[in-house]
Amino acid sequence: MLEIVLPTIWFIFPAYVANSVAVDVSGVPYLREWKTPVDLGRSWRGKRILGDGKTWRGLFCGTVAAVFAGYLQGLHHGWGQGVFGAGIVEMNVFTGFLLGFGALFGDISGSFLKRRAGFERGRVAPLLDQADFLIGAFLFASIAVRPGFEYFIVAILVTIPTHLFGNFVAWVLKLKKDPW
Ligand code: CTP
Ligand code: MG
């Protein structure tokens, strides 16, 4: 089990970084005011194209953080082989960029679909909310590397419990209203 889970975590790491940083920087005092939405506030057929939850700040900061993650992973490939497995994918700034930008592109596409389906910004869309960024990350990354379809399946399977656990911890810490 771990022989496939660990290399998947190593590979998908920049996508996780991009996704988390895009959300986390919304709380940084200096960056809080930079909230221009990616859709520039525009609507299509009476509904917002994407909504106020997708900002250029998130897209930019998340992508930069993912590039940095890929850079660090490239620097510490030998260490990664020891911890995550000898066969791990070689990471660099380009794979970091593809996974990070791809993840945020997937997340934005997910919001596009949610708005078309009439979901208000912030409303939970189970599965779509967790899978959209992974689909985007794997699609973009496949330009440079194709680690195999099993990586995608494992990434989805690892992400769902991680997400639920993260939400539960946030609820215990009173950062979130509901435990899911
Ligand atoms: N965020 C951002 N820019 C992004 C992605 C996320 O600024 N590209 C920030 C926003 O403050 C957003 C929060 O992270 O509200 C949570 O992200 P997410 O759950 O993806 O957005 P939602 O607000 O739930 O919007 P949606 O319904 O469109 O998914
Ligand atoms: Mg949300």
Side-chain angles (χ1 to χ4, degrees):
M1 244 291 258
L2 276 181
E3 305 86 79
I4 172 77
V5 172
L6 290 177
T8 301
I9 292 173
W10 170 264
F11 175 67
I12 206 64
F13 182 65
Y16 267 84
V17 168
N19 216 34
S20 321
V21 167
V23 176
D24 297 340
V25 289
S26 64
V28 176
Y30 182 72
L31 294 170
R32 202 177 292 146
E33 289 314 304
W34 177 23
K35 46 178 186 265
T36 313
V38 175
D39 67 7
L40 304 176
R42 283 190 286 229
S43 296
W44 183 50
R45 295 188 176 175
K47 286 179 185 129
R48 279 292 292 274
I49 301 176
L50 304 170
D52 287 331
K54 304 295 119 142
T55 65
W56 287 103
R57 171 196 66 212
L59 182 59
F60 179 79
C61 297
T63 303
V64 169
V67 167
F68 188 59
Y71 169 72
L72 288 181
Q73 285 177 285
L75 219 55
H76 300 290
H77 187 74
W79 172 83
Q81 283 182 310
V83 178
F84 294 86
I88 54 169
V89 174
E90 290 238 19
M91 306 295 281
N92 52 49
V93 290
F94 187 52
T95 54
F97 171 81
L98 291 173
L99 283 160
F101 185 79
L104 296 169
F105 186 88
D107 176 53
I108 285 169
S109 309
S111 291
F112 180 79
L113 294 178
K114 281 166 78 175
R115 299 300 91 81
R116 306 287 75 69
F119 282 51
E120 296 295 322
R121 173 233 172 138
R123 211 177 117 195
V124 180
L127 278 180
L128 181 69
D129 281 341
Q130 287 89 51
D132 55 10
F133 85 97
L134 290 174
I135 296 171
F138 274 86
L139 275 179
F140 274 71
S142 69
I143 295 171
V145 272
R146 302 205 177 162
F149 193 66
E150 67 276 16
Y151 273 65
F152 178 68
I153 301 294
V154 172
I156 298 263
L157 294 179
V158 168
T159 299
I160 292 168
T162 308
H163 206 92
L164 291 175
F165 180 71
N167 286 349
F168 179 74
V169 171
W171 175 71
V172 169
L173 296 174
K174 297 191 162 46
L175 295 172
K176 246 181 134 290
K177 227 164 47 296
D178 305 302
W180 48 83

